[in-house]
Amino acid sequence: MVKRGLPVRTVGITGTGMYVPDRILTNTHLEQLVETSDEWIRTRTGIRERHIASPGTPASDIAAPAVRAALKSRGLSPEEIDHIIVTTVTPDMFFPSTACVLQDKVGARNAWGYDLSAACSGFIFGLAAGYQAVASGSVRNVAVVGVDVLTTLVEWTNRNQCILFGDGCGTVILEPMDEGEGIIDFILHADGSGAQYLHMLGGGSLNPPSHATLDKGLHYLYQDGKAVFKIASTSMADVTMEVVERNGFAIGDISLIIPHQANLRIIEAVAKRLGIEREQVLVNIDRYGNTTAATIPIGLHEAALSGRIKKGDLVVLTSFGGGYTWGAILLRWELDTPQG
Ligand code: UT7
């Protein structure tokens, strides 16, 4: 196998967990909020329902059960975790970091950590950072957490966006591996000129919160859906092909591609550009909507639990999001399918 300049210590995923709030918002509910229809939402986005947090729920409350589940699946106690990377654009607050809040909440008292902001690509950026920390030998293990409560940034009167998002968390544990290949390679990109198409302008040092920023709605997410749609489809497909081919594989060797879940039509466009069948690509947007940093680890957890990916399978994770940020990670799945 060609190793592309990455450190030599082999690192892989040894545990997974997820959590979504109990509250479900269906398309029919949304029909009562804005002028839309279940039919429009299903055909234009693939979403049927999404889980949303009760008002006042911080990201750390959604992340804590997912972290506990991932630790349990690996058989680790919270004290045994060395490092926590929380990827989110909806942290509990600016500071302290949600990683610190979470460390306290789950009792991971020997861990240090930080938050990482790469919007929908947060999880794959965090996985790459976690990989490097374990590969370098500086930590024994990492909990990489993809969590967002994006419904807190949604303008509920705007039908272009309130239909798209849900809340949730997925977490993986990364550790050195004695055998197998774990994470084989990753390619990450950023293009800051894309910020104009996908952003939230208010609340930071550029536009500190004030009555004026509230009146202008700067605390809401903004996206130019059409612009993002086009570039997301081509970028995810092209970076997937690049990471597959530069490691000596063909796209047909990949058992499952787990793309960021922003729109079913984007996922279908990715499959078409790669020349693969829909079955080779994971889709769960129908049940969760776009959970931002959580889409990929939730998909990975469900695929592992259901046996959709099995020990020895090659898997690609790919994402596109605010920044712009995008990338792909190639890995060989090393866990047995859980029994029962
Ligand atoms: O994860 C972060 C990255 N984000 C993304 O990747 C999102 C990418 N973009 C998208 O998923 C799609 O662009 C959207 C789902 C946001 C919008 O779908 P679209 O097919 O691009 O629709 P559109 O914005 O072109 O709107 C088409 C029509 C418009 O009506 P007119 O002007 O043709 O009369 C909209 O006003 O559909 C209308 N429309 C709706 N109608 C019913 C927009 N939203 C709705 C709605 N219900 N919820």
Side-chain angles (χ1 to χ4, degrees):
M1 188 56 45
V2 185
K3 284 269 179 189
R4 304 264 326 175
L6 296 177
V8 284
R9 200 168 168 193
T10 303
V11 179
I13 293 171
T14 57
T16 65
M18 67 170 276
Y19 176 77
V20 288
D22 291 339
R23 252 174 108 199
I24 291 176
L25 184 68
T26 64
N27 293 346
T28 316
H29 288 130
L30 283 163
E31 284 174 356
Q32 285 142 41
L33 287 182
V34 286
E35 200 185 326
T36 190
S37 67
D38 173 50
E39 205 259 336
W40 193 96
I41 301 172
R42 272 190 295 104
T43 53
R44 299 299 267 259
T45 71
I47 303 168
R48 289 175 185 276
E49 59 185 35
R50 65 292 283 145
H51 293 247
I52 62 165
S54 306
T57 308
S60 60
D61 272 6
I62 291 177
V67 171
R68 289 191 195 103
L71 289 174
K72 192 170 172 212
S73 82
R74 168 62 182 97
L76 288 176
S77 69
E79 293 84 6
E80 288 174 292
I81 278 289
D82 279 1
H83 191 34
I84 299 173
I85 300 173
V86 174
T87 67
T88 187
V89 287
T90 48
D92 285 21
M93 52 199 141
F94 272 174
F95 71 90
S97 69
T98 301
C100 286
V101 177
L102 192 58
Q103 182 247 24
D104 184 46
K105 233 168 226 184
V106 301
R109 55 196 169 86
N110 297 310
W112 63 281
Y114 57 87
D115 291 0
L116 185 158
S117 169
C120 299
S121 306
F123 181 75
I124 61 168
F125 275 49
L127 204 59
Y131 169 89
Q132 287 166 328
V134 179
S136 71
S138 68
V139 295
R140 285 172 308 169
N141 55 43
V142 187
V144 182
V145 181
V147 61
D148 268 302
V149 198
L150 213 87
T151 57
T152 55
L153 309 185
V154 159
E155 187 176 11
W156 288 100
T157 51
N158 179 347
R159 68 178 183 173
N160 277 308
Q161 55 165 262
C162 72
I163 57 153
L164 295 172
F165 298 98
D167 303 324
C169 180
T171 296
V172 303
I173 308 297
L174 284 180
E175 288 180 273
M177 294 206 140
D178 292 336
E179 52 188 272
E181 292 180 282
I183 292 173
I184 296 169
D185 196 6
F186 58 82
I187 300 173
L188 304 178
H189 292 289
D191 176 2
S193 70
Q196 60 189 304
Y197 303 110
L198 193 50
H199 56 237
M200 190 188 91
L201 291 177
S205 51
L206 177 66
N207 295 297
S210 66
H211 288 294
T213 62
L214 280 180
D215 291 345
K216 288 183 198 154
L218 300 188
H219 55 295
Y220 294 128
L221 162 111
Y222 167 83
Q223 74 167 349
D224 178 338
K226 275 207 184 317
V228 181
F229 189 103
K230 232 187 253 171
I231 191 164
S233 325
T234 52
S235 302
M236 285 196 284
D238 293 352
V239 75
T240 294
M241 195 57 105
E242 192 185 346
V243 80
V244 167
E245 288 185 341
R246 86 174 188 182
N247 286 279
F249 296 109
I251 196 73
D253 296 328
I254 307 302
S255 299
L256 190 66
I257 293 166
I258 304 182
H260 172 54
Q261 310 278 309
N263 187 317
L264 179 60
R265 290 185 295 134
I266 294 180
I267 298 169
E268 287 172 342
V270 169
K272 189 168 173 213
R273 194 169 169 93
L274 288 171
I276 58 175
E277 297 297 322
R278 255 275 303 270
E279 291 62 43
Q280 213 178 323
V281 184
L282 182 121
V283 174
N284 65 8
I285 191 171
D286 50 321
R287 289 176 290 128
Y288 301 119
N290 180 351
T291 55
T292 319
T295 63
I296 291 179
I298 287 177
L300 192 62
H301 174 78
E302 290 194 331
L305 210 64
S306 65
R308 180 117 187 246
I309 48 175
K310 298 185 186 61
K311 194 174 164 79
D313 281 353
L314 285 169
V315 178
V316 174
L317 316 175
T318 182
S319 194
F320 186 91
Y324 290 141
T325 52
W326 70 102
I329 296 189
L330 172 66
L331 57 92
R332 195 178 286 284
W333 192 249
E334 293 297 341
L335 298 183
D336 291 315
T337 305
Q339 302 298 308

